[in-house]
Amino acid sequence: MRLMREAGVTMVSVGIFSWALLEPAEGVYDFTLLDRVLDLLYTHGIAADLATPTAAPPAWFFRAHPEALPVDRDGRRLSYGSRQTFCPSSPAYRRAALRMAGELARRYANHPAVAMWHVHNEYACHNAECHCDTSAEAFRGWLRMRYGNDLASLNDAWGTTFWSQWYYDWDEILPPRATGAVPNPTHQLDWRRFCSDEVLSLYTAERDVLREAAPTIPATTNFMVMHNFDALDYWRWAPELDVVSNDHYLRSTDPESQIDIAMSGDLVRSLTDGPWLLMEHSTGAVNWQPVNRAKHPGELRRNALAHVARGADGIAYFQWRAAKAGAEQWHSAMLPHAGTDSRIWRDVVRLGADLRALAEVRGSGVPAQVAVVWDWGARWALELPSQPSAEVRFLDLVRSWYEPLWRAGVAVDFVRPDADLSSYRLVLAPSLYLVDDESTANLVAFAERGGTLAIGFHSGAVDENCHVRLGGYPGAFREALGVRTDELFPLLPGESLGLDGEVPEGATASLWSERVELAGAEAIASYTDGPLAGVPAVTRNALGAGSTWYLATRPDPETLARLLDRIRTEAGVDPARTTPEGVEAVLRRGPDADYLFLIDHGGEGAEVEVAADATELLSGKPVEGGSVTVAPGDVAVVREPRGQ
């Protein structure tokens, strides 16, 4: 507790994997240790984010209920001995989890340390899918609800006339288990939807038990909006949380992981109407990648404050003290194995002081005029087997469009395709393979009303049932874009085509091409070689009071950046602040002031112009001379008064 206060800790997540300690045998509880920890936290002025420990059922539970262990798609029943080794549809697990949550809620609902409930931990991190017979029955129940108990509607949606897959009885339907050839795509897509909803039902069940005992204490669970997780549709999850929180970890092989931090933060902020909480990230190396890179000097501070810049109102780490035993013994912590005589500890203490200095930023937003369309269903559908190219990946496409905006200092929100778009000037859909009619109409109407809409290749190809939209590509957006494609020409790895037109000299394209015919649009760039020489690759179309753009290929990074810079400039979108290369600029806006975050990733430092009456909050010093100095590898946060 003394060290937590020294570090500036204000809240601690407690008890996340403590089920075996709290309930050593079924119905036998021992809260001695948890009582002591919560009392100590309260005594020292530290709040508790009290967890239900249901992410790690104890061994005695599985000995009593072996049927609750998950089964993989190959039919193997997995064993216990790690975490999340349960079937999400298991009635025995649900009963035990709700019983445990109820005991915690009744015991600690009025404990003065408890400020928030932490439900479970990283739902579906390891067990998003279970293919057992219990899951099969639950899947069939979900399908009955989706298709109005009409098997003919399901057969139509799944296209089961193909390969003799027609179902005559609900009990014939199974999860998409391992089979001899390619499974039905809509079957697989509905399975992904079901799995997300089934796990969500576990969260809401526990949350409701907690609310019944303590209706005024907010509840959260930690999302994983990061590079290696896509199992849950967080657009459906977020409205069920009182506070949206997220875990984010860097990928050691990503040379510019600061872009991933920014993109994740923007997406998490977009999931909620208000600020959010970073529940987990690391002070240094993790333990679950092939090589676990340590953070460079200053990187801990830059990472944490980059999340704050994107709207996080709280910064937390896994874990407090580095474990000496167990599966995560080599995962970094706030208090490392070396103890307080360590760089990590000194950086942690400094960060605590930084966050105290930024207290007034809490509650401010991040104004954005650009929206990027993000849809988990479209992602799942795009990455199903038997696509024109397995090299086309949703996250790669979105990041390739996001990166130039990040470099330019342009703020971005992420939106559902059916979201209200009236507050934006520019909407980008880098990858929207699957889209329904309502969302299509919403995006097209945005452009017709005067907005600028840019669409990436292979978008609009299928409807919500994964049925190809006939008549030519890009399907749903063909008329709005003023183009028609009759055949797709995906490119092999390493293959590229030249581009000419209103693009930089020497521009190239890779990954994808298609035979585009103009149907009202104008060509901005065309291919110079290959079977599509002279065919448009990038087009622009006037639509109502606005315009639409189609990128029918993946231009090289410089060309893509130039195109997106032109598109956003025509849309009237300017960056928050012009900064030298390597300096990230993000603006948070409060009722009385703007807060300009300047983060130097390039290591060169910079002078950035700011308002004459500004204050640099981390140092507490007024800005002199109308500019602020960002030291190499460092961060500055500038308060600029508004409305005066």
Side-chain angles (χ1 to χ4, degrees), residues 125-156:
C125 183
H126 309 287
N127 65 339
E129 301 182 22
C130 175
H131 294 257
C132 73
D133 290 342
T134 301
S135 294
E137 184 61 34
F139 182 40
R140 289 189 287 267
W142 183 91
L143 292 170
R144 285 176 181 269
M145 293 289 292
R146 180 173 178 83
Y147 294 104
N149 205 30
D150 182 5
L151 198 52
S153 295
L154 178 143
N155 279 301
D156 179 65

CSV table of all heavy atoms in Angstrom, one decimal, residues 125-156:
chain,number,residue,atom,x,y,z
A,125,CYS,N,-11.2,-14.6,-24.7
A,125,CYS,CA,-9.8,-14.6,-25.0
A,125,CYS,C,-9.3,-16.0,-25.5
A,125,CYS,O,-8.5,-16.1,-26.4
A,125,CYS,CB,-9.0,-14.1,-23.9
A,125,CYS,SG,-7.2,-13.9,-24.2
A,126,HIS,N,-9.8,-17.0,-24.8
A,126,HIS,CA,-9.3,-18.4,-25.1
A,126,HIS,C,-10.4,-19.3,-25.5
A,126,HIS,O,-10.1,-20.4,-26.0
A,126,HIS,CB,-8.5,-18.9,-23.9
A,126,HIS,CG,-7.5,-18.0,-23.4
A,126,HIS,ND1,-6.3,-17.8,-24.1
A,126,HIS,CD2,-7.4,-17.3,-22.3
A,126,HIS,CE1,-5.5,-17.0,-23.4
A,126,HIS,NE2,-6.2,-16.6,-22.3
A,127,ASN,N,-11.6,-19.0,-25.3
A,127,ASN,CA,-12.7,-19.9,-25.4
A,127,ASN,C,-13.9,-19.3,-26.2
A,127,ASN,O,-15.1,-19.5,-25.8
A,127,ASN,CB,-13.2,-20.5,-24.1
A,127,ASN,CG,-13.8,-19.4,-23.2
A,127,ASN,OD1,-13.5,-18.3,-23.3
A,127,ASN,ND2,-14.6,-19.9,-22.2
A,128,ALA,N,-13.6,-18.5,-27.2
A,128,ALA,CA,-14.7,-17.9,-27.9
A,128,ALA,C,-15.7,-18.9,-28.5
A,128,ALA,O,-16.9,-18.7,-28.7
A,128,ALA,CB,-14.2,-17.0,-29.0
A,129,GLU,N,-15.1,-20.1,-28.9
A,129,GLU,CA,-15.9,-21.1,-29.6
A,129,GLU,C,-15.8,-22.4,-28.8
A,129,GLU,O,-14.7,-22.8,-28.4
A,129,GLU,CB,-15.4,-21.3,-31.0
A,129,GLU,CG,-15.5,-20.1,-31.9
A,129,GLU,CD,-15.1,-20.4,-33.3
A,129,GLU,OE1,-15.1,-21.5,-33.7
A,129,GLU,OE2,-14.7,-19.4,-34.0
A,130,CYS,N,-16.9,-23.1,-28.7
A,130,CYS,CA,-17.0,-24.5,-28.2
A,130,CYS,C,-17.9,-25.2,-29.1
A,130,CYS,O,-19.0,-24.8,-29.4
A,130,CYS,CB,-17.4,-24.5,-26.7
A,130,CYS,SG,-17.6,-26.2,-26.1
A,131,HIS,N,-17.5,-26.4,-29.5
A,131,HIS,CA,-18.2,-27.2,-30.5
A,131,HIS,C,-18.9,-28.4,-29.9
A,131,HIS,O,-19.2,-29.3,-30.7
A,131,HIS,CB,-17.3,-27.6,-31.6
A,131,HIS,CG,-16.7,-26.4,-32.5
A,131,HIS,ND1,-17.2,-26.1,-33.7
A,131,HIS,CD2,-15.8,-25.5,-32.2
A,131,HIS,CE1,-16.6,-25.1,-34.2
A,131,HIS,NE2,-15.7,-24.7,-33.3
A,132,CYS,N,-19.1,-28.4,-28.6
A,132,CYS,CA,-19.7,-29.5,-28.0
A,132,CYS,C,-21.2,-29.6,-28.3
A,132,CYS,O,-21.8,-28.7,-28.9
A,132,CYS,CB,-19.5,-29.5,-26.5
A,132,CYS,SG,-20.5,-28.3,-25.6
A,133,ASP,N,-21.8,-30.7,-27.9
A,133,ASP,CA,-23.3,-30.9,-28.2
A,133,ASP,C,-24.1,-29.8,-27.4
A,133,ASP,O,-25.2,-29.4,-27.9
A,133,ASP,CB,-23.7,-32.3,-27.8
A,133,ASP,CG,-23.1,-33.3,-28.7
A,133,ASP,OD1,-22.7,-33.0,-29.8
A,133,ASP,OD2,-23.1,-34.5,-28.3
A,134,THR,N,-23.7,-29.4,-26.2
A,134,THR,CA,-24.4,-28.4,-25.5
A,134,THR,C,-24.4,-27.1,-26.3
A,134,THR,O,-25.4,-26.4,-26.4
A,134,THR,CB,-23.8,-28.2,-24.1
A,134,THR,OG1,-23.9,-29.4,-23.4
A,134,THR,CG2,-24.6,-27.1,-23.4
A,135,SER,N,-23.2,-26.7,-26.8
A,135,SER,CA,-23.1,-25.5,-27.7
A,135,SER,C,-23.9,-25.7,-28.9
A,135,SER,O,-24.5,-24.7,-29.4
A,135,SER,CB,-21.6,-25.3,-28.1
A,135,SER,OG,-20.9,-25.0,-26.9
A,136,ALA,N,-24.0,-26.9,-29.5
A,136,ALA,CA,-24.8,-27.1,-30.7
A,136,ALA,C,-26.3,-26.8,-30.4
A,136,ALA,O,-27.0,-26.1,-31.2
A,136,ALA,CB,-24.6,-28.5,-31.2
A,137,GLU,N,-26.8,-27.2,-29.3
A,137,GLU,CA,-28.1,-27.0,-28.9
A,137,GLU,C,-28.4,-25.5,-28.7
A,137,GLU,O,-29.4,-25.0,-29.1
A,137,GLU,CB,-28.5,-27.8,-27.6
A,137,GLU,CG,-30.0,-27.7,-27.2
A,137,GLU,CD,-30.9,-28.2,-28.3
A,137,GLU,OE1,-30.6,-29.2,-29.0
A,137,GLU,OE2,-32.0,-27.7,-28.4
A,138,ALA,N,-27.5,-24.8,-28.1
A,138,ALA,CA,-27.6,-23.4,-27.8
A,138,ALA,C,-27.6,-22.6,-29.2
A,138,ALA,O,-28.3,-21.7,-29.4
A,138,ALA,CB,-26.5,-22.9,-26.9
A,139,PHE,N,-26.7,-23.1,-30.1
A,139,PHE,CA,-26.6,-22.5,-31.4
A,139,PHE,C,-28.0,-22.6,-32.2
A,139,PHE,O,-28.5,-21.7,-32.7
A,139,PHE,CB,-25.5,-23.2,-32.2
A,139,PHE,CG,-25.3,-22.6,-33.6
A,139,PHE,CD1,-25.4,-21.3,-33.9
A,139,PHE,CD2,-25.0,-23.5,-34.6
A,139,PHE,CE1,-25.1,-20.8,-35.2
A,139,PHE,CE2,-24.7,-23.0,-35.9
A,139,PHE,CZ,-24.8,-21.7,-36.2
A,140,ARG,N,-28.6,-23.8,-32.1
A,140,ARG,CA,-29.9,-24.0,-32.7
A,140,ARG,C,-30.9,-23.1,-32.1
A,140,ARG,O,-31.8,-22.6,-32.8
A,140,ARG,CB,-30.3,-25.5,-32.6
A,140,ARG,CG,-29.4,-26.4,-33.5
A,140,ARG,CD,-30.0,-27.8,-33.6
A,140,ARG,NE,-29.8,-28.5,-32.4
A,140,ARG,CZ,-28.7,-29.3,-32.1
A,140,ARG,NH1,-27.8,-29.5,-33.1
A,140,ARG,NH2,-28.6,-30.0,-31.0
A,141,GLY,N,-30.9,-22.9,-30.8
A,141,GLY,CA,-31.8,-22.0,-30.2
A,141,GLY,C,-31.7,-20.6,-30.7
A,141,GLY,O,-32.6,-19.8,-30.9
A,142,TRP,N,-30.4,-20.2,-30.8
A,142,TRP,CA,-30.1,-18.8,-31.3
A,142,TRP,C,-30.6,-18.7,-32.8
A,142,TRP,O,-31.2,-17.6,-33.1
A,142,TRP,CB,-28.6,-18.6,-31.2
A,142,TRP,CG,-28.1,-17.2,-31.7
A,142,TRP,CD1,-28.0,-16.1,-30.9
A,142,TRP,CD2,-27.7,-16.8,-33.0
A,142,TRP,NE1,-27.5,-15.0,-31.6
A,142,TRP,CE2,-27.3,-15.4,-32.9
A,142,TRP,CE3,-27.7,-17.5,-34.2
A,142,TRP,CZ2,-26.9,-14.7,-34.0
A,142,TRP,CZ3,-27.2,-16.7,-35.3
A,142,TRP,CH2,-26.8,-15.4,-35.2
A,143,LEU,N,-30.4,-19.7,-33.6
A,143,LEU,CA,-30.9,-19.7,-35.0
A,143,LEU,C,-32.4,-19.6,-35.1
A,143,LEU,O,-32.9,-18.9,-35.9
A,143,LEU,CB,-30.4,-20.9,-35.7
A,143,LEU,CG,-28.8,-21.0,-35.9
A,143,LEU,CD1,-28.4,-22.3,-36.5
A,143,LEU,CD2,-28.4,-19.9,-36.9
A,144,ARG,N,-33.1,-20.3,-34.2
A,144,ARG,CA,-34.5,-20.3,-34.2
A,144,ARG,C,-35.0,-18.8,-33.9
A,144,ARG,O,-36.0,-18.3,-34.6
A,144,ARG,CB,-35.1,-21.2,-33.1
A,144,ARG,CG,-35.1,-22.7,-33.5
A,144,ARG,CD,-35.6,-23.5,-32.3
A,144,ARG,NE,-35.5,-24.9,-32.5
A,144,ARG,CZ,-36.5,-25.6,-33.0
A,144,ARG,NH1,-37.7,-25.0,-33.4
A,144,ARG,NH2,-36.4,-26.9,-33.2
A,145,MET,N,-34.3,-18.1,-33.0
A,145,MET,CA,-34.7,-16.7,-32.7
A,145,MET,C,-34.4,-15.9,-33.9
A,145,MET,O,-35.2,-15.0,-34.3
A,145,MET,CB,-33.9,-16.2,-31.5
A,145,MET,CG,-34.3,-16.9,-30.2
A,145,MET,SD,-36.0,-16.4,-29.6
A,145,MET,CE,-35.6,-14.7,-29.3
A,146,ARG,N,-33.2,-16.1,-34.6
A,146,ARG,CA,-32.8,-15.2,-35.7
A,146,ARG,C,-33.8,-15.4,-36.9
A,146,ARG,O,-34.1,-14.4,-37.6
A,146,ARG,CB,-31.4,-15.5,-36.1
A,146,ARG,CG,-30.9,-14.7,-37.2
A,146,ARG,CD,-29.4,-14.9,-37.5
A,146,ARG,NE,-28.9,-14.1,-38.6
A,146,ARG,CZ,-28.5,-12.8,-38.6
A,146,ARG,NH1,-28.6,-12.1,-37.4
A,146,ARG,NH2,-28.1,-12.2,-39.7
A,147,TYR,N,-34.2,-16.6,-37.1
A,147,TYR,CA,-35.0,-16.9,-38.3
A,147,TYR,C,-36.4,-17.1,-38.0
A,147,TYR,O,-37.2,-17.7,-38.8
A,147,TYR,CB,-34.4,-18.0,-39.1
A,147,TYR,CG,-33.0,-17.7,-39.6
A,147,TYR,CD1,-31.8,-18.2,-39.0
A,147,TYR,CD2,-32.9,-16.8,-40.7
A,147,TYR,CE1,-30.6,-17.8,-39.5
A,147,TYR,CE2,-31.6,-16.5,-41.2
A,147,TYR,CZ,-30.5,-17.0,-40.6
A,147,TYR,OH,-29.2,-16.6,-41.1
A,148,GLY,N,-36.9,-16.6,-36.9
A,148,GLY,CA,-38.3,-16.7,-36.5
A,148,GLY,C,-38.8,-18.1,-36.5
A,148,GLY,O,-40.0,-18.4,-36.9
A,149,ASN,N,-38.0,-19.1,-36.1
A,149,ASN,CA,-38.4,-20.5,-36.0
A,149,ASN,C,-38.8,-21.0,-37.4
A,149,ASN,O,-39.6,-22.0,-37.4
A,149,ASN,CB,-39.5,-20.7,-35.0
A,149,ASN,CG,-39.5,-22.1,-34.4
A,149,ASN,OD1,-38.4,-22.7,-34.3
A,149,ASN,ND2,-40.6,-22.6,-34.0
A,150,ASP,N,-38.3,-20.4,-38.4
A,150,ASP,CA,-38.7,-20.8,-39.8
A,150,ASP,C,-37.4,-21.5,-40.5
A,150,ASP,O,-36.5,-20.7,-40.9
A,150,ASP,CB,-39.2,-19.6,-40.6
A,150,ASP,CG,-39.6,-20.0,-42.0
A,150,ASP,OD1,-39.6,-21.2,-42.3
A,150,ASP,OD2,-39.9,-19.1,-42.7
A,151,LEU,N,-37.4,-22.8,-40.6
A,151,LEU,CA,-36.3,-23.5,-41.1
A,151,LEU,C,-36.1,-23.1,-42.6
A,151,LEU,O,-34.9,-23.1,-43.1
A,151,LEU,CB,-36.4,-25.0,-41.0
A,151,LEU,CG,-35.2,-25.9,-41.1
A,151,LEU,CD1,-34.1,-25.4,-40.2
A,151,LEU,CD2,-35.6,-27.3,-40.8
A,152,ALA,N,-37.2,-22.8,-43.3
A,152,ALA,CA,-37.1,-22.4,-44.7
A,152,ALA,C,-36.3,-21.1,-44.9
A,152,ALA,O,-35.5,-20.9,-45.8
A,152,ALA,CB,-38.4,-22.3,-45.4
A,153,SER,N,-36.5,-20.2,-43.9
A,153,SER,CA,-35.8,-18.9,-44.0
A,153,SER,C,-34.3,-19.1,-43.8
A,153,SER,O,-33.4,-18.5,-44.4
A,153,SER,CB,-36.3,-18.0,-42.9
A,153,SER,OG,-37.7,-17.6,-43.2
A,154,LEU,N,-34.0,-20.0,-42.8
A,154,LEU,CA,-32.6,-20.4,-42.6
A,154,LEU,C,-31.9,-21.0,-43.9
A,154,LEU,O,-30.8,-20.6,-44.3
A,154,LEU,CB,-32.4,-21.3,-41.4
A,154,LEU,CG,-30.9,-21.7,-41.1
A,154,LEU,CD1,-30.7,-21.8,-39.6
A,154,LEU,CD2,-30.6,-23.1,-41.8
A,155,ASN,N,-32.6,-21.9,-44.5
A,155,ASN,CA,-32.1,-22.6,-45.7
A,155,ASN,C,-31.9,-21.6,-46.8
A,155,ASN,O,-30.9,-21.6,-47.5
A,155,ASN,CB,-33.0,-23.7,-46.2
A,155,ASN,CG,-32.9,-25.0,-45.4
A,155,ASN,OD1,-31.8,-25.5,-45.4
A,155,ASN,ND2,-33.9,-25.4,-44.8
A,156,ASP,N,-32.8,-20.6,-46.9
A,156,ASP,CA,-32.6,-19.6,-47.9
A,156,ASP,C,-31.4,-18.7,-47.6
A,156,ASP,O,-30.6,-18.4,-48.5
A,156,ASP,CB,-33.9,-18.7,-48.0
A,156,ASP,CG,-33.8,-17.6,-49.1
A,156,ASP,OD1,-33.6,-17.9,-50.2
A,156,ASP,OD2,-33.8,-16.4,-48.7
